[in-house]
Amino acid sequence: MNNKQLEKIKKNLKAMHRSPQGKKASDFESIAQSLGRTLVKRGKEPNWQKADESPILVPPLSIPHHGAEDLKVGTARNIIQILLNDVDTWETYLQTQEQKSEEDE
């Protein structure tokens, strides 16, 4: 993950937040995966949790998957907000890594 990829994901999520109608679970699952979350089979709905190589992310994210149906607007907005929080976590992590590498030089 790098800053350019994060910026692209953040831009996409903000556009989705402005217009959350018509979003499907698959729209969010691909973003969750690119942010370092992996699918785990537990509970009633599919859960996405932190992968080993990613920085510390908030608790598992549940993305309801009901076939071809669109997610409800409120559900979509909640998922978007959690993914935006993940982007913020990644940004902080990358800044910390850059500072450490500068200090080592």
Side-chain angles (χ1 to χ4, degrees):
M1 182 67 64
N2 61 39
N3 289 324
K4 187 176 179 180
Q5 291 170 324
L6 272 180
E7 198 57 40
K8 184 177 177 182
I9 292 170
K10 189 175 190 177
K11 184 179 176 182
N12 187 16
L13 285 170
K14 287 188 176 191
M16 292 171 98
H17 193 268
R18 286 189 295 274
S19 178
Q21 297 89 357
K23 302 300 181 222
K24 300 194 180 335
S26 59
D27 298 332
F28 299 111
E29 290 171 340
S30 62
I31 294 172
Q33 187 173 18
S34 56
L35 285 172
R37 289 182 177 266
T38 57
L39 179 63
V40 292
K41 304 244 186 216
R42 67 175 194 197
K44 188 175 179 181
E45 300 292 347
N47 283 285
W48 292 81
Q49 70 181 22
K50 167 186 146 358
D52 293 335
E53 67 276 358
S54 65
I56 297 170
L57 298 175
V58 290
L61 167 63
S62 179
I63 301 176
H65 205 276
H66 300 285
E69 291 181 27
D70 295 343
L71 294 176
K72 293 181 181 178
V73 172
T75 303
R77 282 201 173 125
N78 287 337
I79 293 169
I80 292 167
Q81 190 57 51
I82 292 169
L83 292 172
L84 283 170
N85 291 342
D86 287 355
V87 169
D88 292 341
T89 302
W90 267 105
E91 287 174 340
T92 303
Y93 175 77
L94 290 176
Q95 287 174 353
T96 305
Q97 293 301 98
E98 287 174 6
Q99 289 174 352
K100 283 182 182 178
S101 67
E102 289 174 1
E103 291 173 358
D104 291 341
E105 292 177 359

